[in-house]
Amino acid sequence: MKKNSRKPAAKAKRPQAPAAARDGQRSAVAPASSVAAFGVALGHHQAGRIAEAEAGYRAVLRLDPDHPHANNNLALILRGRGDHADALACYRRAIKRAPDDPQLHSNFGCLLVDLGQAAEALDALRRAIELKPDYAEAHFNLGNALRSANDLDGALACYTEALRLKPDMAAALSNMGDLLKGRAELSRAVECFMAALRAAPQMPEPCNNLGETLKEQGRITEAVAVFQQGLSAHPTAAIMHSNLVFALNYTADAPVEMIYRVHRHWAERHADPLLPAGRKHANDRSPDRKLRIGYVSPDFCAHSVSFFAEPVIREHDRSAFEVICYPCSRRSDAVTERLRAAADGWVPIVGLSDEAAASRIAADGIDILIDLAGHTAENRLLLFARKPAPVQVTWLGYPNTTGMPAIDYRLTDGIADPPGLADQLSAERLVRLPHGFHCYQPPMEVDLQPRPPVLDSGVVTFGSFNNTSKVTAEVVRVWAEILKRVPKARLLLKSRQMGDDETRARYRNSFIAHGVDPDRVELLARIPAADGHLRAYDRLDIALDPFPYNGTTTTCEALWMGVPVVTLAGRSHVARVGASLLTNVGLGELIASDEADYIAKAVALAGDPDRLAGLRAGMRARLDAAPLTDHKGFTRSIETALRAMWRTWVERGG
């Protein structure tokens, strides 16, 4: 499944050092006994003895409830473990006593950002800067707050000012790079991350961000090396480790058996230790009762995942299933509101720790919990590791195993995962749906262009609108060969990453190196409007599916817009999604078995304009009749699978 912003790395945050009371304030604001007690607590805090420090600060506050620095430092501890309400109370007491302390306002603003209270957060951070204009950390924190409020220009200006004041502030360099990465200014982002690593070699965020950006540029081998180097220094960094396992899906060099072992290694290190031994769930074990289904996703918005999840959430049989959605991202738009209306329950878990979120799901009595993210951005796999529901399933968002025994099943089909090897490469039990594991809902209604463009131009246009991460050196080599065998043909590549000048130049040069005239290759950046994006398919005669990481949303979009897709079926799920989709719309003849067959099929199709015209004219009717767009029928097949999973759990005695 394509992700719009595959795995944004964790945002670097300024390390919050415990505050020492200023000498000039001590006698004015606190009795001598509390001053001494604060000094002891601060010593514990600075030495990393957090439990002792917390006890000490609480002792200070019993003597002097409004002690500003004891409240500040206790709030840092509380915020770090997710006790946001208590931290909020501490900051309010501290600021009441010391209203002109810039550090208090800055720290308070950071907590308010965590709580999603954007307006008050901005006020607090601007007050900190008003009190101390040269406070680099406050400018940095204000940048984070503005970024959370989607004021990217304002955030960039704040990071720039923080770096003017402190040129080696690694956190500001890292977050500036992450912002630039989100804007597809990938080369500038790489420069920021490299500078951050020079300033703070042991800081995990810029290393993680650098690997992600190299992956987006299609530099997969370099990205994998960066993640591996980062993990050697930060072996407990679960997000970085997820990014490594995800990046391996893009490479043709790594054997699928090795990639499976890396997924299991991720689970063994980060997830398996969290699985409660002998946990018993209290759910009613009636096999045929109405079941409570929970969907966990960061992508309940205008995102590829929702093109496939929304029709299922909407079409569930409410006499047999109650549907609760657990969004784990603050992103919200019109699609979010549709999903909220379609669900029976909407329980955001943003800001909750994995442990707290798992407790909430268990308290909700969820019978079957479904992960829609896998190792992708903002996933909550470590929530699933705690086994909050009797039956746990992964589906849709990630093209491989999670590696986790805590997740019981993975939904797929017999084409994407043929019986045999696929079962050995999955930590979950594979449940193969009968007519594909996708159900596509186009983002909007757009009329089909009835004629392929070759009929008017006389020139065949191949194309791919996949992320550049999927367009590896092997893919470029094969596509260049197709262009050489169809001498007048053109290739149109479109992706968000092509908005970066250096990335665009690198791809253009890679085609030149294979003997292709650069004028035959057009590289386009992202088209923001959905209708403009879909209308761009009008320019294509034939879509080329990348490999080994096939397209999903892009393949469905191309077919919906009448464009036939040529795919290459590989050994594992990630390389067989195209074959699954084409099989289930009756276009199996466009599935190649190897590179030579892929080239031959593309060249043959390019040489048959009548066939292209026939495929385009009949494509909408073909899709309307296919399981891919049968929302009710597909949902019934999922429900049959879920009911069977539940009965198996009941029969095994829970």
Side-chain angles (χ1 to χ4, degrees):
M1 176 65 61
K2 185 185 78 172
K3 304 294 284 190
N4 288 342
S5 178
R6 191 14 256 147
K7 203 70 174 158
K11 296 177 184 175
K13 296 184 179 180
R14 179 177 65 86
Q16 297 284 3
R22 297 180 179 86
D23 291 339
Q25 289 183 326
R26 288 179 182 174
S27 60
V29 301
S33 58
S34 68
V35 171
F38 177 79
V40 172
L42 179 63
H44 286 308
H45 203 163
Q46 291 173 331
R49 296 186 292 270
I50 302 303
E52 292 88 342
E54 179 177 353
Y57 293 137
R58 291 190 184 279
V60 171
L61 295 174
R62 284 194 290 273
L63 296 169
D64 181 8
D66 294 335
H67 190 292
H69 300 292
N71 271 301
N72 175 79
N73 293 1
L74 178 59
L76 294 178
I77 294 171
L78 294 169
R79 179 188 174 208
R81 70 174 182 229
D83 292 341
H84 291 152
D86 289 344
L88 194 67
C90 287
Y91 280 127
R92 294 198 188 282
R93 288 194 297 269
I95 289 171
K96 180 180 178 181
R97 172 72 72 82
D100 294 331
D101 187 318
Q103 186 184 38
L104 291 178
H105 287 283
S106 182
N107 291 350
F108 182 41
C110 291
L111 176 64
L112 292 167
V113 171
D114 290 348
L115 294 171
Q117 299 179 23
E120 194 176 358
L122 294 173
D123 288 344
L125 291 162
R126 286 172 175 142
R127 177 60 177 157
I129 292 169
E130 180 183 339
L131 291 165
K132 185 175 172 57
D134 63 347
Y135 189 2
E137 288 79 1
H139 287 283
F140 167 71
N141 291 335
L142 179 58
N144 291 341
L146 289 168
R147 190 175 172 198
S148 295
N150 206 34
D151 181 356
L152 302 185
D153 290 336
L156 189 59
C158 287
Y159 295 147
T160 301
E161 178 63 11
L163 290 166
R164 186 187 69 80
L165 295 165
K166 283 192 174 181
D168 62 347
M169 183 186 281
L173 286 164
S174 183
N175 280 18
M176 177 182 280
D178 203 27
L179 188 155
L180 293 168
K181 171 178 170 284
R183 287 180 152 185
E185 297 181 47
L186 304 180
S187 303
R188 289 184 63 196
V190 167
E191 292 172 2
C192 285
F193 299 140
M194 294 294 289
L197 286 170
R198 287 193 295 271
Q202 294 305 308
M203 188 175 174
E205 289 85 1
C207 180
N208 192 44
N209 290 352
L210 175 61
E212 278 298 285
T213 309
L214 292 171
K215 178 170 71 68
E216 288 212 9
Q217 290 184 309
R219 299 159 67 180
I220 306 302
T221 301
E222 294 172 78
V224 168
V226 167
F227 291 137
Q228 289 173 328
Q229 182 179 0
L231 283 170
S232 67
H234 307 283
T236 62
I239 290 176
M240 191 185 303
H241 206 165
S242 277
N243 285 345
L244 170 63
V245 300
F246 197 178
L248 288 171
N249 289 298
Y250 293 88
T251 176
D253 297 331
V256 294
E257 294 83 358
M258 184 272 280
I259 294 174
Y260 168 70
R261 288 196 297 273
V262 176
H263 281 78
R264 277 297 295 132
H265 184 211
W266 179 92
E268 289 163 358
R269 179 178 292 182
H270 308 289
D272 293 359
L274 301 174
L275 183 62
R279 177 166 186 169
K280 295 294 183 182
H281 294 87
N283 303 58
D284 178 353
R285 287 165 169 72
S286 301
D288 299 315
R289 67 172 175 83
K290 186 175 184 177
L291 298 178
R292 289 173 66 81
I293 308 298
Y295 288 96
V296 180
S297 177
D299 301 318
F300 291 135
C301 57
H303 185 279
S304 302
V305 166
S306 290
F307 299 159
F308 302 89
E310 182 180 355
V312 173
I313 291 170
R314 183 184 64 240
E315 298 294 343
H316 266 305
D317 178 359
R318 283 342 198 249
S319 69
F321 297 91
E322 183 179 1
V323 177
I324 314 297
C325 288
Y326 293 94
C328 47
S329 168
R330 287 195 171 94
R331 287 174 291 153
S332 181
D333 53 31
V335 176
T336 309
E337 293 310 308
R338 287 205 310 265
L339 285 162
R340 187 197 302 266
D344 300 302
W346 188 265
V347 184
I349 55 174
V350 182
L352 291 183
S353 67
D354 292 320
E355 184 176 5
S359 296
R360 172 59 196 265
I361 289 168
D364 287 345
I366 296 299
D367 300 307
I368 302 177
L369 190 65
I370 303 175
D371 159 59
L372 298 178
H375 286 281
T376 64
E378 300 177 274
N379 75 74
R380 300 302 295 267
L381 288 179
L382 297 184
L383 176 166
F384 283 81
R386 292 166 164 84
K387 198 68 173 180
V391 178
Q392 299 194 148
V393 183
T394 187
W395 172 53
L396 192 60
Y398 184 65
N400 210 325
T401 180
T402 63
M404 296 171 58
I407 296 184
D408 305 287
Y409 300 97
R410 179 157 64 91
L411 293 175
T412 182
D413 63 53
I415 303 297
D417 286 290
L421 176 64
D423 299 280
Q424 301 170 31
L425 301 178
S426 181
E428 312 85 2
R429 180 180 176 184
L430 298 181
V431 173
R432 296 174 173 89
L433 301 177
H435 302 294
F437 70 102
H438 292 103
C439 176
Y440 177 62
Q441 175 177 286
M444 63 188 305
E445 286 296 328
V446 177
D447 291 338
L448 180 69
Q449 176 62 251
R451 286 167 57 85
V454 65
L455 297 185
D456 298 314
S457 67
V459 175
V460 168
T461 302
F462 296 100
S464 171
F465 295 171
N466 285 274
N467 282 336
T468 55
S469 309
K470 299 181 180 182
V471 185
T472 61
E474 293 80 11
V475 172
V476 169
R477 172 176 52 77
V478 170
W479 289 356
E481 182 62 26
I482 291 171
L483 290 177
K484 286 188 281 188
R485 295 197 191 183
V486 187
K488 293 183 179 180
R490 295 179 55 81
L491 177 66
L492 173 60
L493 304 181
K494 183 177 78 67
S495 72
R496 186 181 66 87
Q497 296 87 349
M498 289 300 179
D500 178 63
D501 291 343
E502 185 177 308
T503 301
R504 197 166 55 250
R506 190 167 59 82
Y507 273 94
R508 190 175 300 279
N509 289 336
S510 66
F511 279 99
I512 292 172
H514 286 290
V516 175
D517 184 338
D519 290 339
R520 298 175 63 196
V521 180
E522 184 176 358
L523 306 174
L524 293 180
R526 176 177 177 267
I527 299 173
D531 57 346
H533 166 67
L534 291 174
R535 285 267 71 102
Y537 284 99
D538 293 346
R539 299 182 57 188
L540 303 187
D541 293 291
I542 302 167
L544 298 175
D545 196 17
F547 55 88
Y549 199 137
N550 293 166
T552 302
T553 305
T554 48
T555 296
C556 292
E557 288 173 345
L559 294 172
W560 181 253
M561 297 305 295
V563 182
V565 181
V566 177
T567 192
L568 194 167
R571 294 184 69 209
S572 61
H573 179 105
V574 68
R576 299 184 61 84
V577 170
S580 170
L581 291 168
L582 292 181
T583 297
N584 287 293
V585 297
L587 289 174
E589 70 273 16
L590 299 182
I591 302 169
S593 57
D594 55 31
E595 288 184 5
D597 191 29
Y598 181 92
I599 293 168
K601 287 183 183 298
V603 171
L605 192 56
D608 193 344
D610 290 340
R611 186 179 177 206
L612 287 172
L615 285 170
R616 199 176 199 102
M619 196 68 80
R620 280 285 172 91
R622 178 188 295 273
L623 263 64
D624 286 341
L628 183 63
T629 59
D630 178 7
H631 301 161
K632 288 183 183 295
F634 180 82
T635 305
R636 297 293 89 78
S637 71
I638 279 196
E639 290 174 345
T640 298
L642 297 179
R643 180 64 66 179
M645 295 173 194
W646 177 252
R647 287 175 177 153
T648 296
W649 182 78
V650 170
E651 290 166 4
R652 291 176 177 173

